[in-house]
């Protein structure tokens, strides 16, 4: 049934019966509510208005002011459908000698019935001067003489098929039913931030049904104490969920992983065999990880370090500790290419020391896989490296003690939880080390990642050369090809990354293929290779090997090389359509060059939209890439430009973003919530549990991964 915007009677008092509590089949509006995630009473209560309208007052039509939203009652003196360029319903209403025209472009039989000549109607809408005198376009109609609402009328975010009147009624009823008892004892309320005059119930009731004395504009400004209170509650729920997760983890038992001291210990032997000495930062981080591993409760640590900061060797040393203690270690990477690089490196480092490394991936042959699974189940394979295949149900570890996840933000929450659950049968939880080259900005670290311990590699290994970054219009592509020639002539190698076309992998590929052909033609005598995500794993491996050996001069690729690829002789990176990439992604890509001693450069090619200039945001982002090489700074700017949504990626899915609070604007409330959450949990666990359930329902699990 179509929803007539103007025909439904607005007065809530005359509305029909409430929706049945447990219907056999969902009605249209109920389905629409479900689509909006409005299932529990609390979901409805937390669905706050977009704006408010004042329907509490009537004016006399003669006194009504043009340009204002007014509400008056009048008698219908004419009503007809006319064609003034467009078919429309036009009614005339009169009261106290004044006359007004009502016009509708969309109308339904109910609209016409409400406007029968002689009927008395209540009209609400913006009064204007029209061609035919005073006019209200698409007014809201209701029954004249019905009681006026005693509060401002909320206007809620909604979807097609869910009329405001239905939603208002459902929310008003939920507000009656929901348990809104106080969960924050007065001693926790910081009077500088939160007015003791407001509790959750008052704040919610106020925002859903503000008194007529309140000005709608003041309400829309989220600084109102009622909003402050809700934002504080929301942040507190988030902090509590994480503090709870931390405590639950603290109750779990993990194997104590220490390697015997002395030069014969596996980590010592690995260190001795490495062709380099650890940086100060690596030494510090290795010690932090080792201290965690030596505890009885599971480690839950994020290792963040800029691209090229040397996270892999830290992972290898952690694995060596676990293996030395007699346990297994699993390392999972988001792409086959990356997993493969890790496998290669770890085998080279650890196999000579007598460690058996198994390889697991989706594309593997059955026999090979069966053999790997058997070695993992028997415990013979001490280290398992692979892609998502590592967490599949058939994979049984004999004694998993440590799980390492590289590029953790690329994995879904469910996948990370699955890796941890691998060990549950044994009664021991594995230690978890997550690694990421995308540093978490401080506010996110304090909120979404509050339950993580963080180690940071803030120092690059010596001998790196800064990458000179240039932003060029695609019109200057010819110059870039010249530059490639120059690099090749010096024996260097070049990456060319093709645009990311979000809608379609097929288009991605077509583009990369075209560029590959173009460069092959422009660079006779040079081997230009193509790498893309749809290639069979063996082909990708062959191409990467050829690039690593120097046989391939230019590697044209889709974004599959984003993470992990390590070819120190590559000194130039060209990124086409750079404006389509996220900043952190550009930074990761750029990190593929500047790994050797040669001066390296990164060219960001952009294409302005048809005839125009690149937008301000896009320019600001590319400028950021030129101005800084610090991954933290880039992440900070990325967050400022894009907001946390995309940043959070996988951790985010299934968890609502903060709906009311803003991490930047409400930093003071965030600090408050961080301070209060552990105390509330300690002193009033029942209140804490109620608070989390109220705000997060079943979603709090997602914050634990
Ligand atoms: P990322 O942190 O991006 O994963 P990698 O672990 O791939 O970085 O390390 C980048 C490169 O630096 C690798 O070739 C690695 O072997 C090398 N490397 C790591 N640590 C050091 C060090 N302390 N000194 C010299 N080279 C190092
Ligand atoms: Mg890495």
């Amino acid at each position: 049934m179509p929803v007539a915007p103007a025909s439904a009677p607005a007065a809530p008092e005359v509305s029909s019966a409430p929706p049945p509590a447990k219907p056999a089949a969902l009605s249209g509006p109920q389905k629409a509510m479900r689509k909006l995630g409005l299932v529990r009473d609390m979901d409805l209560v937390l669905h706050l208005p977009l704006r408010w309208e004042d329907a509490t007052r009537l004016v006399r039509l003669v006194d009504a002011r043009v340009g204002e939203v007014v509400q008056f009652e009048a008698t219908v003196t004419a009503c007809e459908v006319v064609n003034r360029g467009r078919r429309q319903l036009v009614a005339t209403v009169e009261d106290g000698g004044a006359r007004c025209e009502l016009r509708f472009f969309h109308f339904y039989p109910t609209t016409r019935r409400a406007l029968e000549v002689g009927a008395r109607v209540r009209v609400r809408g913006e009064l204007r001067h029209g061609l035919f005198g005073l006019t209200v376009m698409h007014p809201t109609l209701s029954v004249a003489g019905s009681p006026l609402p005693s509060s401002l009328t909320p206007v809620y975010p909604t979807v097609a098929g869910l009329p405001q009147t239905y939603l208002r009624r459902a929310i008003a009823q939920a507000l009656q039913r929901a348990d809104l008892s106080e969960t924050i004892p007065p001693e926790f309320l910081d009077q500088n931030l939160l007015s003791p005059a407001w509790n959750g119930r008052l704040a919610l009731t106020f925002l859903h049904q503000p008194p007529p004395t309140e000005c709608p504009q003041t309400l829309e400004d989220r600084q109102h104490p009622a909003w402050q209170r809700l934002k504080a509650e929301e942040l507190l729920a988030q902090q509590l969920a994480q503090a709870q997760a931390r405590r639950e983890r603290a109750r779990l038992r993990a194997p104590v992983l220490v390697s015997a001291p002395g030069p014969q210990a596996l980590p010592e032997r690995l260190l001795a065999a490495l062709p380099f000495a650890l940086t100060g930062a690596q030494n510090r981080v290795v010690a932090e990880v080792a201290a965690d591993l030596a505890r009885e409760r599971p480690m839950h640590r994020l290792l963040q370090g800029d691209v090229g900061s040397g996270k892999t060797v830290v992972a290898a040393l952690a694995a060596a500790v676990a293996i030395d203690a007699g346990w297994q270690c699993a390392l999972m990477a988001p792409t086959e290419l990356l997993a493969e690089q890790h496998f290669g490196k770890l085998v080279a480092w650890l196999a000579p020391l007598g460690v058996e490394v198994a390889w697991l991936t989706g594309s593997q042959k059955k026999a090979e896989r069966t053999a790997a699974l058997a070695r993992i189940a028997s415990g013979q394979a001490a280290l398992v490296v692979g892609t998502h295949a590592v967490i599949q149900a058939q994979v049984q570890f004999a004694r998993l003690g440590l799980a390492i996840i590289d590029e953790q933000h690329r994995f879904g929450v469910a996948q990370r939880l699955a890796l941890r659950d691998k060990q549950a049968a044994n009664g021991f939880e594995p230690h978890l080390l997550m690694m990421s080259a995308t540093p978490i900005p401080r506010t996110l670290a304090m909120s979404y990642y509050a339950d993580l311990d963080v180690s940071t590699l803030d120092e690059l290994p010596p001998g790196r050369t800064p990458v000179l970054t240039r932003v060029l219009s695609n019109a200057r592509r010819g110059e870039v090809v010249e530059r490639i020639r120059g690099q090749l002539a010096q024996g260097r190698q070049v990456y060319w990354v093709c645009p990311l076309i979000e809608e379609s992998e097929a288009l991605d590929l077509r583009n990369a293929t075209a560029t590959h052909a173009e460069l092959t033609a422009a660079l006779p005598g040079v081997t230009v290779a193509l790498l893309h995500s749809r290639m069979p794993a063996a082909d990708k491996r062959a191409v990467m090997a050829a690039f690593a050996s120097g046989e391939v001069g230019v590697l044209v690729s889709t974004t599959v090389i984003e993470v992990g690829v390590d070819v120190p002789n590559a000194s130039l990176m060209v990124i086409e359509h750079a404006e389509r990439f996220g900043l952190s992604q550009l930074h990761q890509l750029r990190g593929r060059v500047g790994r050797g001693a040669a001066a390296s450069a990164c060219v960001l090619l952009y294409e302005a939209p048809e005839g125009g200039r690149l937008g301000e945001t896009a320019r600001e982002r590319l400028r950021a890439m030129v101005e800084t090489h610090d991954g933290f700074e880039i992440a900070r700017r990325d967050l400022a430009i894009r907001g946390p949504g995309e940043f959070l990626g996988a951790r985010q899915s299934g968890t609502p973003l903060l709906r009311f609070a803003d991490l930047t604007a409400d930093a003071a409330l965030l600090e408050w919530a961080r301070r209060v959450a552990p105390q509330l949990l300690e002193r009033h666990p029942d209140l804490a549990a109620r608070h989390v359930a109220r705000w997060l329902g079943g979603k709090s699990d997602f914050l634990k991964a």
Side-chain angles (χ1 to χ4, degrees), residues 210-262:
T213 47
E214 214 51 55
C215 159
Q217 273 76 46
T218 331
L219 290 173
E220 279 159 35
D221 172 13
R222 297 203 165 183
Q223 296 310 308
H224 190 283
W227 278 118
Q228 291 293 104
R229 170 68 195 219
L230 288 183
K231 293 195 282 193
E233 289 210 358
E234 177 177 50
L235 290 165
L236 181 61
Q238 193 196 37
Q239 293 295 320
L240 282 171
Q242 306 219 9
Q244 242 168 9
R246 191 185 271 270
R247 286 182 174 218
E248 276 166 31
R249 244 194 332 272
R251 276 198 289 273
L252 297 171
R253 277 197 336 121
V256 171
L257 304 178
V258 279
S259 70

Side-chain angles (χ1 to χ4, degrees), residues 275-279 282 305-314 342 345 349 406-407 435 437 457 460-462 464 564-566 568 592 595:
F276 49 76
L278 296 191
T279 62
Q282 282 170 325
D306 213 341
V307 184
S309 59
K311 294 183 289 294
T312 317
V313 71
V314 176
H342 283 319
K345 202 165 254 179
W349 282 339
D406 196 17
E407 300 300 330
M435 306 199 289
L457 287 177
L460 292 181
R464 298 286 161 80
V565 174
D566 191 18
R592 302 300 120 216
R595 298 194 151 213

Side-chain angles (χ1 to χ4, degrees), residues 633-652:
E633 175 59 17
I634 285 172
R636 201 190 57 72
R637 294 203 195 182
D638 213 10
L639 183 71
I641 298 170
R642 293 194 302 172
E646 294 173 63
F647 211 95
L648 287 162
R651 170 160 279 227
Q652 190 39 49

Side-chain angles (χ1 to χ4, degrees), residues 526-542:
V526 175
T527 309
V528 182
L530 177 62
L531 185 69
H532 60 81
S533 52
R534 293 252 186 106
M535 280 162 59
D539 294 3
K540 280 191 214 165
R541 202 174 313 151

Side-chain angles (χ1 to χ4, degrees), residues 236-428:
L236 181 61
Q238 193 196 37
Q239 293 295 320
L240 282 171
Q242 306 219 9
Q244 242 168 9
R246 191 185 271 270
R247 286 182 174 218
E248 276 166 31
R249 244 194 332 272
R251 276 198 289 273
L252 297 171
R253 277 197 336 121
V256 171
L257 304 178
V258 279
S259 70
Q264 280 321 298
L266 189 57
E268 295 303 323
R269 285 160 58 214
L270 173 55
L271 276 175
L274 286 175
F276 49 76
L278 296 191
T279 62
Q282 282 170 325
N283 272 318
R284 177 176 39 88
V285 165
V286 165
E288 285 165 2
V289 170
D292 279 0
L293 293 177
R295 293 204 183 97
E296 240 188 354
R297 69 178 144 79
M299 168 167 76
H300 192 62
R301 184 170 289 276
L302 176 71
L303 166 55
Q304 55 179 17
D306 213 341
V307 184
S309 59
K311 294 183 289 294
T312 317
V313 71
V314 176
L317 285 162
V321 172
I323 293 164
D324 219 17
W327 290 76
Q328 285 169 299
C329 173
L331 191 156
M332 181 163 82
T335 67
E336 182 137 358
L337 193 63
L338 182 54
E340 192 131 4
Q341 295 228 348
H342 283 319
F343 181 69
K345 202 165 254 179
L346 291 166
V347 166
W349 282 339
L350 290 167
L353 306 178
V355 175
E356 272 209 41
V357 189
W359 168 242
L360 268 188
T361 168
S363 66
Q364 187 165 41
K365 290 209 183 63
K366 188 146 192 297
E368 196 187 333
R369 184 176 167 78
T370 311
L373 289 176
R375 286 164 64 217
I376 297 165
S378 72
Q380 186 191 348
L383 177 60
V384 182
V385 180
T387 56
H388 301 75
V390 171
I391 52 170
Q392 270 147 20
Q394 315 90 295
V395 187
Q396 296 290 336
F397 289 85
R399 287 160 67 75
L400 181 62
L402 169 64
I404 303 175
I405 304 183
D406 196 17
E407 300 300 330
Q408 62 94 20
H409 58 285
R410 295 188 150 212
F411 285 99
V413 169
Q415 292 163 332
R416 288 194 299 248
L417 286 173
L419 186 52
R420 280 195 1 219
D421 285 348
K422 278 282 164 211
Q423 189 61 15
N426 242 328
F428 280 111

